[in-house]
Amino acid sequence: MSKYYLKLLAAIFLMQGYIYPQDAILSKESVLRAITEGANYATDILLDENGKSKCDYNVIEGKWYEYEPPWHTGQIIAGLLDVYKITKNEKYLSRAKQAGDWWCGLLITDHPKLKGMLNAAHGDAAGETIIFATVSDGTLGLFNLYKITGDKKYAEVPTSAGEWMMNNMYVPEYKVFYDAIDPVTGEVLKQNSPIAEIKESKDLFSVSRPNNEGSLFKDMYEFTGDEKYKKMFIELCESLLMYQGPEGLWMDFGPNNKAEGSFHPRFNLWYAESLMEGYDLTGDKRYLAAAKKTLSFYTKFQKSDGTIYYKNYINGKSNQNSICGSAVSFAGLLWIRLIEYGIGDEFKENVEKSAGWVVKNRFAQDHPDQNLRGAYLNLRTRRKADKVWMTQRDVGTSFGMRFLSKYYEYKFD
């Protein structure tokens, strides 16, 4: 996108009361206000009447579009529960439970091959295809919901799906999981995938990944005590060590694009987070070192004001047409974790940049579009069907709630 269009978009947002004052002070009160305003937006706007995330909001059309609702909903649950721990506002817990009930309702009970799996449709170009990461990216919220409420269904359903995927999708010799399942036949897609850039390929890594997002098997182990899940989780952590590149990323796997040298803003952070969970479980410092390698690389892509863009290249360049607030928050959250482990003091400035950016870059409470009031910025701009496709994504708010809750505890408690 040209600089002209970027300036035009900035002007449009500013005229509509888009941004908070750039000299806002990161006081305890301002951070808490941002946290609660984000949680109110999540409960009142992002979640529909059934508790499902509305996902992507097209700011030009004024319409919502679904995109991987199970993992988007799961991330909102995780964010709301983090805010609930700080505020004790029962509204946030109530809506998180409603969202968890919707998520659990996706359990497949009547398909001869898919019984026990989750109907985790990807949406968008992949249609109804069931995707592994659409499940695992959302399970953090479900297991946390179980820990807070004591209701076992919130852990039993993701455990059931994880068991199915472990039995049907794992490739043990390479320590990866296939990505996709045909929802009609129940067959695992082993030679083609609707989400792969190469639609028809016999390259294993074009249809599979370590798929350790969400640390699903660690949570399954801690819930059940079954050692096979612990073994599975550790194997995936070892897989991440094996496939991590010299820059700290996993360029062999989509949505990273090895051919053009671009990487997805959150994908590598999920793997780094799972390696931190691996360290928590085992005490293996190799996992922590690998996670730090990823987070060190990300500092090269955070701008002086805290911004991280959606599409970045390992050569240091960035495409500035989309602003990825969820990456600002996710990186900030993981930088704090490294500081707390005692190996991340060099990231303290990055944490402050992230916190300042997230607090300042929120849609105003009196924004003329009610669908945006209180949202944390996460703007994705593309060309689609011969027009500009500009979406404000729910992940800006869900990851923003997680990060600012962590920052609040790190800074003020």
Side-chain angles (χ1 to χ4, degrees), residues 24-202:
I25 299 173
L26 280 180
S27 64
K28 182 177 182 179
E29 293 73 22
S30 67
V31 174
L32 184 60
R33 182 171 62 251
I35 290 170
T36 56
E37 287 178 356
N40 289 335
Y41 174 72
T43 57
D44 300 344
I45 304 296
L46 281 184
L47 295 177
D48 69 12
E49 65 276 9
N50 299 310
K52 176 178 67 172
S53 175
K54 297 175 186 175
C55 301
D56 288 353
Y57 182 68
N58 187 309
V59 299
I60 295 176
E61 296 180 345
K63 292 172 57 178
W64 291 94
Y65 288 85
E66 287 191 357
Y67 188 88
E68 294 190 277
W71 91 250
H72 281 246
T73 302
Q75 287 294 337
I76 292 174
I77 295 170
L80 285 175
L81 293 178
D82 284 350
V83 178
Y84 171 73
K85 291 175 186 177
I86 292 173
T87 66
K88 303 303 179 185
N89 188 327
E90 291 294 328
K91 170 186 176 181
Y92 305 147
L93 178 60
S94 177
R95 284 292 265 162
K97 288 169 63 177
Q98 184 186 26
D101 292 341
W102 172 84
W103 203 97
C104 290
L106 299 176
L107 183 69
I108 299 172
T109 60
D110 56 357
H111 191 288
K113 287 189 176 181
L114 290 172
K115 186 177 180 180
M117 182 51 180
L118 203 75
N119 186 19
H122 183 280
D124 200 47
E128 298 301 309
T129 304
I130 297 172
I131 302 297
F132 187 110
T134 306
V135 179
S136 62
D137 283 354
T139 56
L140 171 66
L142 273 296
F143 282 104
N144 286 348
L145 193 54
Y146 156 68
K147 292 171 185 176
I148 289 175
T149 66
D151 191 333
K152 290 186 177 181
K153 73 178 178 183
Y154 298 128
E156 289 171 344
V157 172
T159 296
S160 174
E163 173 76 15
W164 193 98
M165 294 188 293
M166 193 171 82
N167 292 336
N168 293 276
M169 303 179 77
Y170 191 50
V171 187
E173 58 268 40
Y174 292 97
K175 295 184 174 65
V176 294
F177 278 90
Y178 287 111
D179 287 318
I181 306 163
D182 186 309
V184 177
T185 66
E187 295 296 324
V188 176
L189 303 182
K190 298 181 178 181
Q191 293 191 345
N192 59 80
S193 170
I195 62 170
E197 292 190 8
I198 303 173
K199 300 295 183 181
E200 298 288 338
S201 173
K202 293 186 179 180

Side-chain angles (χ1 to χ4, degrees), residues 286-302:
R286 295 177 304 146
Y287 300 153
L288 202 55
K292 183 176 180 180
K293 191 174 184 179
T294 306
L295 271 297
S296 294
F297 188 72
Y298 265 72
T299 63
K300 300 177 182 180
F301 296 89
Q302 186 176 42

Side-chain angles (χ1 to χ4, degrees), residues 255-312:
N256 292 338
N257 188 319
K258 191 173 186 177
E260 70 174 21
S262 67
F263 62 94
H264 187 274
R266 291 182 309 274
F267 171 63
N268 306 280
L269 296 175
W270 263 303
Y271 282 180
E273 182 181 41
S274 72
L275 286 167
M276 292 183 195
E277 294 296 321
Y279 171 74
D280 288 346
L281 182 65
T282 67
D284 192 327
K285 292 183 179 180
R286 295 177 304 146
Y287 300 153
L288 202 55
K292 183 176 180 180
K293 191 174 184 179
T294 306
L295 271 297
S296 294
F297 188 72
Y298 265 72
T299 63
K300 300 177 182 180
F301 296 89
Q302 186 176 42
K303 306 307 177 184
S304 60
D305 67 347
T307 302
I308 296 177
Y309 293 106
Y310 184 88
K311 192 168 187 179
N312 302 288

